Amino acid sequence: MSTVTKYLLYGPNQTLRRLPGKLFEISEPKFLYEYKAPSSDDEIFVAVYEQYEKQINATITLTCIIECTNSYNRIEMKKAGGRMGFRGSSLSEEKNIEAVVVDFIMDYSKRFGLSLQEEVDDKISAESEED
């Protein structure tokens, strides 16, 4: 199972451009890199979030890449770290950072009437068709 989540957001240009700034206000990343293309208005943001989960004694890292163009925003999130396997009933009651970011994206798209589409890799869809 892939740990990369991809979303495409379509809508008005100004609304799409405000999304990264609002996301970084709501949950401030530990590291942030911004790139603006000199020949066009395209921007790329790379944000790295870290969250320590005390119950499993591990750090979870979320890398979020936001590509802003005039017609769409593409968001890729890669979660890493933590522990795998059975841990009994040690589920944390706090929301993890991935859930916070995904909830913000969904809420923002609903609130401003953006079209949200989750990208599915061709490799994964081909495997599910074989089953």
Side-chain angles (χ1 to χ4, degrees), residues 81-92:
R83 290 191 178 169
M84 303 297 282
F86 181 74
R87 296 289 297 167
S89 61
S90 66
L91 294 174
S92 97

Side-chain angles (χ1 to χ4, degrees), residues 97-119:
I97 193 65
E98 184 180 27
V100 170
V101 172
V102 170
D103 286 349
F104 173 80
I105 292 167
M106 302 255 182
D107 183 52
Y108 188 88
S109 64
K110 280 183 191 175
R111 185 174 299 169
F112 294 104
L114 302 176
S115 296
L116 177 67
Q117 180 180 353
E118 185 171 358
E119 276 190 25

Side-chain angles (χ1 to χ4, degrees), residues 43-75:
E43 294 177 294
I44 297 175
F45 299 91
V46 179
V48 179
Y49 294 94
E50 282 188 352
Q51 181 180 34
Y52 177 72
E53 291 200 8
K54 195 183 312 183
Q55 290 181 331
I56 62 172
N57 192 25
T59 301
I60 293 175
T61 304
L62 179 72
T63 303
C64 184
I65 302 169
I66 304 173
E67 176 187 345
C68 297
T69 66
N70 288 331
S71 57
Y72 67 89
N73 278 8
R74 180 186 176 131
I75 302 170

Side-chain angles (χ1 to χ4, degrees), residues 5 7 12 14-15 17 21 23 32 35 47 52 68 71 73 75 82 85 90 99 109 111 120 126 128 130:
T5 309
Y7 294 105
Q14 293 301 317
T15 307
R17 295 288 177 175
L23 173 62
L32 178 63
Y35 172 76
Y52 177 72
C68 297
S71 57
N73 278 8
I75 302 170
S90 66
S109 64
R111 185 174 299 169
V120 180
S128 63
E130 290 175 2

Side-chain angles (χ1 to χ4, degrees), residues 20-43:
K22 293 293 182 185
L23 173 62
F24 303 145
E25 280 179 22
I26 299 286
S27 56
E28 187 175 340
K30 184 161 186 167
F31 302 102
L32 178 63
Y33 173 76
E34 299 177 35
Y35 172 76
K36 184 167 174 101
S39 61
S40 65
D41 288 338
D42 295 352
E43 294 177 294

